[in-house]
């Protein structure tokens, strides 16, 4: 027989109500179904370039350190093809749920000028800029030009097309670096003939074999030939010397030309990702950037480190888009 309290409510009813209240509080303390704390599953990090290159290496150290902070696997996936279009399109076209991000590169500020894609820097939610590498000017170790001034003077005194250069494909970032340098010297953008290559490595091999006169690419990319004594770097197109290569001066130091450019890499999510997810990823990427592991990894390879948060990265890309577009138009490489 059930005992009643003075107000007519049974003790059993009171106990049942208390139990339900405790359970309800527990339910309220938990995220609602489908609202699990982000990230609740593995994240895919798309790289638009092949395995083994600088972008791939940078993405893999970033992914490894992101895993530690976010507590979920970060799987690096290489999506190559179309001069970077395929991978950049895969990042932009993914669901904006935070489970697909990517490492976008300087080419996103170039490809649309060439008519290769409609994608541009505004096609993404920028998360962070983590790397920038200025180009160097490399010559064969047997070249008669011992410094950048001697080379610049010889180029100015020569007829158009006399000197040949390489470093990447037609219209690639290192081609534009050369065009911009020539314009800064008061020459036409095509005064030095560009010989397209499949990247810096084959271009440096061609340089070592005396097939071309100079290569514009980042000094880290040229390092193997530099260390082997088959090439030397005369200058870099940057505001300051690279501490890993302290003997390579800037153009401004040697020629009085304040021309700076470079290849860069940053992390982005598809457009439309929520501010909360973007903030979580941005904070995690700042921890990655500040970590000793990341700084040591980049320093050991001579890769430049630079930080911009999401809004800063957006502004940086807007500036790069304009300057690269201007250089491509001047070089006759723009179709847009």
């Amino acid at each position: 027989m059930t005992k009643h309290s003075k107000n007519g409510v049974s003790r059993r009813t009171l106990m049942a109500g208390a139990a339900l209240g405790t359970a309800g509080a527990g339910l309220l303390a938990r995220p609602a179904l489908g609202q699990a704390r982000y990230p609740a599953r593995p994240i895919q990090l798309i790289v638009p370039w092949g395995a083994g290159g600088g972008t791939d290496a940078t993405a893999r150290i970033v992914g490894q350190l992101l895993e530690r902070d976010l507590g979920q696997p970060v799987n690096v996936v290489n999506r190559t093809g179309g001069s970077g279009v395929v991978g950049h399109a895969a990042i932009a076209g993914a669901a904006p749920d935070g489970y697909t991000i990517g490492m976008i590169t300087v080419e996103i500020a170039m490809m649309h000028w060439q008519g290769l894609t409609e994608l541009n820097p505004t096609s993404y939610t920028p998360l962070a800029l983590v790397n920038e590498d200025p180009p160097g000017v490399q010559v064969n170790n047997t070249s008669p030009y011992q410094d950048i001034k001697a080379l610049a003077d010889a180029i100015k005194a020569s007829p158009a097309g006399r000197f040949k250069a390489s470093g990447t494909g037609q219209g690639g970032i290192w081609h534009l670096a050369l065009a911009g340098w020539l314009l800064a010297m008061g020459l036409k953008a095509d005064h030095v003939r560009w010989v397209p290559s499949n990247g810096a490595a084959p271009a440096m091999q061609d340089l070592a074999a005396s097939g071309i006169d100079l290569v514009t690419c980042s000094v880290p990319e040229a390092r193997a030939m530099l260390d082997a004594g088959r090439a030397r770097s005369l200058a870099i197109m940057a505001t300051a010397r690279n501490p890993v290569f302290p003997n390579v001066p800037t153009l401004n130091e040697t020629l009085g030309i304040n021309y700076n450019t470079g290849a860069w890499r940053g992390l982005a999510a598809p457009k439309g990702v929520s501010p909360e997810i973007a903030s979580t990823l941005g904070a995690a990427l700042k921890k990655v950037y500040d970590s000793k592991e990341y700084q040591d990894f980049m320093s050991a390879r001579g890769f430049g480190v630079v930080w911009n948060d999401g809004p800063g990265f957006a502004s940086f890309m807007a500036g790069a888009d304009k300057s690269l577009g201007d250089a491509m138009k001047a070089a006759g490489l723009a179709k847009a």
Side-chain angles (χ1 to χ4, degrees):
M1 183 175 177
T2 302
K3 295 181 179 179
H4 292 269
S5 64
K6 291 179 181 179
N7 61 5
V9 179
S10 73
R11 185 181 176 199
R12 181 179 296 170
T13 301
L14 287 170
M15 291 178 68
L20 284 171
T22 302
L27 287 171
L28 289 172
R30 295 173 190 157
L33 188 62
Q35 298 295 316
R37 178 183 176 276
Y38 173 84
R41 54 186 172 86
I43 294 170
Q44 178 177 242
L45 198 170
I46 294 175
V47 177
W49 306 102
T55 303
D56 178 68
T58 303
R60 289 182 187 278
I61 186 65
V62 168
Q64 175 187 324
L65 297 172
L66 268 181
E67 285 187 0
R68 186 171 68 187
D69 185 69
L70 296 176
Q72 290 288 347
V74 176
N75 303 313
V76 175
V77 178
N78 300 91
R79 294 288 300 276
T80 62
S83 299
V85 172
V86 171
H88 282 93
I91 300 164
D97 56 9
Y99 290 100
T100 298
I101 60 175
M103 181 156 278
I104 60 176
T105 60
V106 63
E107 285 78 11
I108 195 59
M110 298 165 56
M111 297 184 295
H112 68 101
W113 292 111
Q114 297 167 292
L116 298 177
T117 178
E118 293 184 0
L119 294 172
N120 63 59
T122 66
S123 303
Y124 304 87
T125 299
L127 300 173
L129 174 69
V130 295
N131 158 254
E132 184 177 20
D133 290 312
V137 180
Q138 283 72 228
V139 296
N140 187 298
N141 205 42
T142 63
S143 169
Y145 310 111
Q146 298 297 315
D147 56 47
I148 193 67
K149 186 177 186 309
L151 176 62
D153 288 346
I155 290 173
K156 288 178 182 178
S158 70
R162 155 66 181 81
F163 279 82
K164 294 184 294 183
S166 189
T168 186
Q170 184 80 4
I173 182 58
W174 302 140
H175 184 187
L176 291 187
L178 173 68
W181 175 40
L182 294 173
L183 289 169
M185 289 198 294
L187 300 171
K188 290 186 176 180
D190 60 353
H191 188 83
V192 172
R193 182 155 62 94
W194 187 257
V195 179
S197 71
N198 288 323
M204 288 300 299
Q205 291 169 0
D206 199 10
L207 180 73
S210 301
I212 51 178
D213 301 296
L214 64 144
V215 166
T216 46
C217 70
S218 70
V219 183
E221 289 177 305
R223 191 172 192 169
M225 287 297 178
L226 298 175
D227 290 348
R230 301 182 67 188
R232 60 178 180 272
S233 189
L234 302 183
I236 57 170
M237 303 177 193
T239 56
R241 297 191 184 200
N242 185 331
V244 180
F245 307 98
N247 296 324
V248 183
T250 68
L251 287 180
N252 202 23
E253 287 179 74
T254 49
L255 298 178
I257 294 175
N258 191 21
Y259 172 68
N260 312 301
T261 189
W264 45 260
R265 303 174 178 109
L267 282 297
K271 198 168 184 177
V273 73
S274 74
E276 293 79 15
I277 289 176
S279 177
T280 296
L281 288 167
L285 287 166
K286 185 64 167 72
K287 290 180 183 177
V288 167
Y289 180 84
D290 289 339
S291 70
K292 185 176 186 300
E293 293 95 327
Y294 180 76
Q295 295 292 328
D296 287 352
F297 179 91
M298 300 297 276
S299 176
R301 288 155 180 77
F303 293 164
V305 289
V306 60
W307 171 261
N308 262 319
D309 61 10
F313 187 21
S315 297
F316 175 90
M317 286 195 290
D321 190 58
K322 182 182 184 308
S323 63
L324 290 170
D326 289 345
M328 295 181 84
K329 290 172 186 175
L333 297 168
K335 293 183 180 177

